[in-house]
Amino acid sequence: MSEEFTGPPWAVDYTQEAEKYRISLSEDVRESLREAGFGLLTARHPYRAEHVEPARSTAPRGPHVAYFDSNRGWPLFTFLPRVAEPQIVVEEIFWQ
């Protein structure tokens, strides 16, 4: 029996620094970040979700950013489209 590529929702993992920063944000900002994350989790492919663009135009398959809170913040994430357990890895979160 061959394994098939699973679809959404995807697993999400935060680096330790991103998780610490996420926890330090106020509750309303975390809620806005959760809403943006929900869009990534349910998209057929996270790199094609709404409000998402490559972090660098020269690396369209590399890290991406997903804007939230009226573009005041964004997580920098990478999508690992593995057959078993595809995953979104949030490497950094920025909010101003």
Side-chain angles (χ1 to χ4, degrees), residues 25-56:
L25 296 170
S26 66
E27 182 58 37
D28 59 326
V29 175
R30 282 196 313 260
E31 179 61 31
S32 183
L33 177 59
R34 275 192 290 275
E35 290 173 10
F38 183 74
L40 295 176
L41 288 173
T42 57
R44 183 70 189 133
H45 194 290
Y47 286 173
R48 295 185 187 102
E50 190 174 352
H51 305 292
V52 170
E53 65 183 42
R56 296 181 60 192

Side-chain angles (χ1 to χ4, degrees), residues 47 54 56-64 78-79:
Y47 286 173
R56 296 181 60 192
S57 62
T58 57
R61 293 185 184 183
H64 279 57
T78 304
F79 178 59

Side-chain angles (χ1 to χ4, degrees), residues 5-90:
F5 184 69
T6 59
W10 315 107
V12 175
D13 192 19
Y14 291 84
T15 63
Q16 288 181 343
E17 287 186 26
E19 180 64 11
K20 285 179 188 175
Y21 188 73
R22 185 186 71 82
I23 291 170
S24 75
L25 296 170
S26 66
E27 182 58 37
D28 59 326
V29 175
R30 282 196 313 260
E31 179 61 31
S32 183
L33 177 59
R34 275 192 290 275
E35 290 173 10
F38 183 74
L40 295 176
L41 288 173
T42 57
R44 183 70 189 133
H45 194 290
Y47 286 173
R48 295 185 187 102
E50 190 174 352
H51 305 292
V52 170
E53 65 183 42
R56 296 181 60 192
S57 62
T58 57
R61 293 185 184 183
H64 279 57
V65 293
Y67 297 102
F68 70 94
D69 195 20
S70 301
N71 293 340
R72 291 180 62 196
W74 58 86
L76 177 70
F77 72 96
T78 304
F79 178 59
L80 305 172
R82 302 177 291 214
V83 172
E85 299 180 27
Q87 182 178 25
I88 296 170
V89 178
V90 178

